[in-house]
Every structure is written in C-alpha cells, then in structure tokens.
Amino acid sequence: MAHTASLSQLQNPPWALVNGELVPYQDVKIHISAEALTRALSVFEGLKGYWNTEGDVFSVRTPRRHYDRLCRSAALFHIPIRFSYEEFVAGLATLGERLLVPERDLWFRTTLYVTEGHWGEGTVGDLIVTAFTQQKHDPDPMRLGVSTWRRAADVALPTRVKSSANYVGARLARIEVRRLGYDDAILLNEGGRVAEATGACVLIADNNGIASPPTSEGCLDSITVDALGKVCRELGLPFERRPIDRTELLTADECGVAGTISELTLIDEIDGYRYRQNGVLARLRQRYLEVMRGEAVLAGIDLMPLITRTGNGRADAGYALPATTR
Ligand code: PMP
C-alpha cells in the first residue's frame, strides 16, 4: 500500500485558505518570481484532526505545538509571522467545516510561502492552508530501504525545523528505494547513523526498550515522537532518545515510523531484514490511537475540539481554546 501522505496529495479539495480567506482550491496562485519557487523558501506544518469514537466531535491534535514549530521554522529562515495562534486555529476550523465528512478524518497542511522579498529583504510570507481527508482504518505495515542519500548536516540545511527544501533530498531517497520496490526510504545522517524516514521519524524496539534518535541526529523535532514518549510512560514502557546505528536498526526486534500522518506505522521489512508485528510497538500504536479518538486523555497531548456534529448531521465549527492559551 502507498504511503498515506502521498495518497492525500492526490486529492483536489474544493477549498483552500489564503491568509484567512476561503479561496477555491484551483484558484490559489503563486507568482513564478516568488522566493517560495525560486529558492524553495517555504516552511510548513502537517496537522491531523480526528473524529472521536462516537463520531460527533472532531479535534485537532496539539495545534499549539504545530504553531510554535511553524514560528520557529519561520524565524530561522527570517520569514515574518503575520498571524496569531488564535487566527491560525480559526483558519483550521473554517476550512475543516467546509471539507470534513463523517466517515473520514482530515489532515491539514499549513504552509508559509515566501511570496514577496528578495534575499531576506522585504520578506512577506502568505499562509496557505489545504486539507485532505484521510482513511480511518489502519495503514498496512511498510517495507523500507535505506537510501544512499544522506540527511544534510545541521550547518548545511537544518532538519529539526520543517522547511520544504529538506524534502528535495528526501524525494531523491524515496525515488531511489521505490525503484527497488520499497514503500519508503530511511535516510542516514553524515555519521552513518539513522536520521529519519522521508516523512516520519524512526522507532525501534528490542530487549532494551523503545528508542528513537534525538533531533541532533538529523531528524525533525517530531511532535508525534514526543506524544508517543508520553504514551510509553503511561504504559510503563522504557523509551529513550538516543543515536541508533544502522546495524542496530537492522537487527532490532521491531521497527516503526512515527509522524502526524503516519501515526505509528509498523515496519515489516528493511532491506530484507524482518520485524515482529505484534509486540510493544503494536501496543503503543493502539493506545496512541485510543487517545486520538478521545477514548483516553493523557497530560501533554492536547486534542482541541474544532468541529461538532449536531443531531441533524450538520457540522458546526466552534473551537474551544484549551485553558492554558486563554
Ligand atoms: N520527519 C519528517 C521529515 C517529517 O516530514 C515528519 C512529518 N511532519 C516527521 C519527521 C514527523 O514529525 P511530526 O511527528 O511532528 O509530524
């Protein structure tokens, strides 16, 4: 089965949001001279919203964390932020109300494209929000290949923030391994240790517990890995962030990739090495999804109610900011 991220991008939703205004998706335009195009200058976030088990409340996971990371990414690239957190969340509600259907969840892509300015002078970023519906059922386990392409060093192209330019290398890695029949690629860092997959971080599990590389190994500062760490604590599973050698990856008992859209997707095989499917990562995945569906509440994993469905089936946007942000 294809990666869930690529499936979402095949959709053509009717609406997008440009600086807070609803615009027909097909009419969203960026000028060819914009630095977003000439210098790959855009930073973005992918946020996932879930229907609860009862199907009447749709909530977005950890929007504040995404807003803060977007601000950090923008600050690093000297892109001014022209919208508050409240406006950011209100935008998700406006678009979500248009695109949400009862039988599918929604994944939002909030991208800050540099549309004006030149080499850091007069920089203006436009916030464009798109959203794509997502299947509710579990993705199949994936088969990965380790790419010969490496993650750029922090001093070359920082990977802990989320910039579109980072995905140029990831795209090469993915093309390389797709030709070999794999679903997705793992990129190593300059030291030859595990950095991340093309759109998700890597977790392994063995007798020592569950481990994932820290951001200093060349991966995005993943909000999902943080959330999974909290679920591990709740379940009493040992979890640590530490460097992972290639041989450790290939000889681990279990492997998974973690990201907002991938959730925790189990890995079946990497380069011919096989992984167990029904161990602690499967348990961790199940508990994470229970939290996402509102069946359990865990401190530090905010689910912000964004849209509720009324008795007559109508969707009403009316989001409630968590107490900490009021
Ligand atoms: N690494 C990369 C390259 C990604 O694109 C993503 C998805 N955003 C992740 C890791 C996982 O990050 P998060 O859990 O914050 O979605």
Side-chain angles (χ1 to χ4, degrees), residues 69 151 162 167 196-201 220 222-224 258-260:
R69 190 171 64 185
R151 261 280 166 251
K162 206 161 163 59
Y167 294 82
E196 60 182 346
T198 62
C201 286
L220 182 70
S222 162
I223 296 168
T224 313
T260 300

